[in-house]
Amino acid sequence: MYGFDALLLDVDGTLADTERDGHRCAFNAAFAEVGLDWDWSEALYGELLSVTGGKERIRHYIEHWRPPFEAPDDLDGFIADLHRRKTRHYLEFLGQGRIPLREGVTRLLRQARDAGIRLAIATTTTPENVSTLLACSGDTDIGDWFEVIAAGDMVPAKKPAPDIFRLALDKLQLPAHACVAVEDSAHGVRSALGADLQALLVTVNAYTQDQDFSAAALVTDGLGGPASPVKVLQGTLEGSDHIDLAALDAMHRRVYLA
Ligand code: XBP
Ligand code: MG
């Protein structure tokens, strides 16, 4: 029925707008918990998102943004402890239902599952953050729909390196040309294309809308839905006025069969 076998999805910014009101607030809660006067504003966090990975982001902040900071001898241990605290706060926020899935995500995933399209995650965040986000999404079994969850420290190099998408493809035992990928950021685009996932949709968000997506096959302002057409920012949308399997299939065909 469709010309592709699997859908590989990013998490933060793609499945849900997790950064501004989720991860950022969790970092600030962890800083306060250990008595640090660090406060990542929405604007500063937008800058810090240039570094993927929470532990890597904390280290970058210490090295580049923080006035002279008396770093403890075991800086790695200090950062790991801070990140564990941050993750605990983030999981709490998810459990409070503070971070809903973006519009159209459940609809598209359900359509893919019903059509036999295999589902995989490729993300920089931790596996626990992924499973909890999905479990708190309202459709409690949505996490079971994913055959593969490639996440966080499973790979040595995080996005924009291609490692996490390559791991997802390896676990699926599929070639890149048999798949469609969905991302939200320039780092994610570089990671997906680095894994040769050319049939790539980008659904931008407030933090990423001004980034360079010229290499992506299709860029929209989201997945939309039958009652809410999407805005196409790059490429052409065929088959429907929102992102469904027909639209992804048309994109995949344009990339590989044109
Ligand atoms: C986005 C990231 C993650 C999150 C924070 O991941 O770079 O680091 O910002 O999560 P993606 P952690 O867009 O690839 O889903 O603190 O768990 O890293
Ligand atoms: Mg993302």
Side-chain angles (χ1 to χ4, degrees), residues 13-169:
T14 299
L15 291 191
D17 267 324
T18 58
E19 297 290 2
R20 190 192 63 191
D21 300 332
H23 289 299
R24 181 183 68 90
C25 300
F27 280 110
N28 287 335
F31 301 152
E33 187 178 317
V34 297
L36 290 167
D37 66 350
W38 303 352
D39 178 53
W40 288 359
S41 66
E42 290 180 27
L44 172 57
Y45 193 67
E47 305 268 346
L48 293 173
L49 278 172
S50 62
V51 178
T52 59
K55 294 189 289 293
E56 296 79 355
R57 196 166 300 144
I58 294 169
R59 183 185 301 277
H60 174 80
Y61 176 72
I62 290 170
E63 291 168 355
H64 298 277
W65 290 81
R66 184 73 200 133
F69 167 62
E70 275 302 299
D73 295 343
D74 175 14
L75 183 57
D76 288 350
F78 170 77
I79 290 173
D81 172 67
L82 213 40
H83 192 253
R84 274 191 297 276
R85 294 169 187 267
K86 172 265 174 180
T87 300
R88 213 169 27 247
H89 286 289
Y90 180 69
L91 293 172
E92 242 174 69
F93 296 162
L94 292 178
Q96 293 161 4
R98 284 173 50 166
I99 313 286
L101 297 182
R102 288 184 70 177
E103 180 188 13
V105 168
T106 303
R107 169 186 56 75
L108 181 65
L109 294 177
R110 182 174 279 111
Q111 188 190 14
R113 182 199 57 169
D114 295 347
I117 298 283
R118 298 163 68 187
L119 292 171
I121 290 283
T123 176
T124 305
T125 194
T126 63
E128 190 183 15
N129 285 354
V130 179
S131 54
T132 306
L133 173 71
L134 294 171
C136 296
S137 72
D139 278 88
T140 46
D141 67 337
I142 200 170
D144 301 337
W145 301 352
F146 287 87
E147 185 179 330
V148 169
I149 294 186
D153 294 331
M154 290 181 189
V155 290
K158 292 181 174 165
K159 297 175 185 177
D163 301 40
I164 200 71
F165 276 106
R166 285 189 178 143
L167 175 63
L169 288 169

Side-chain angles (χ1 to χ4, degrees), residues 197-200 216-218 249-258:
L197 285 156
Q198 304 293 331
L200 173 61
L218 180 60
D249 193 44
M251 173 186 71
H252 182 267
R253 227 178 313 109
R254 269 199 313 281
V255 168
Y256 290 109
L257 302 179

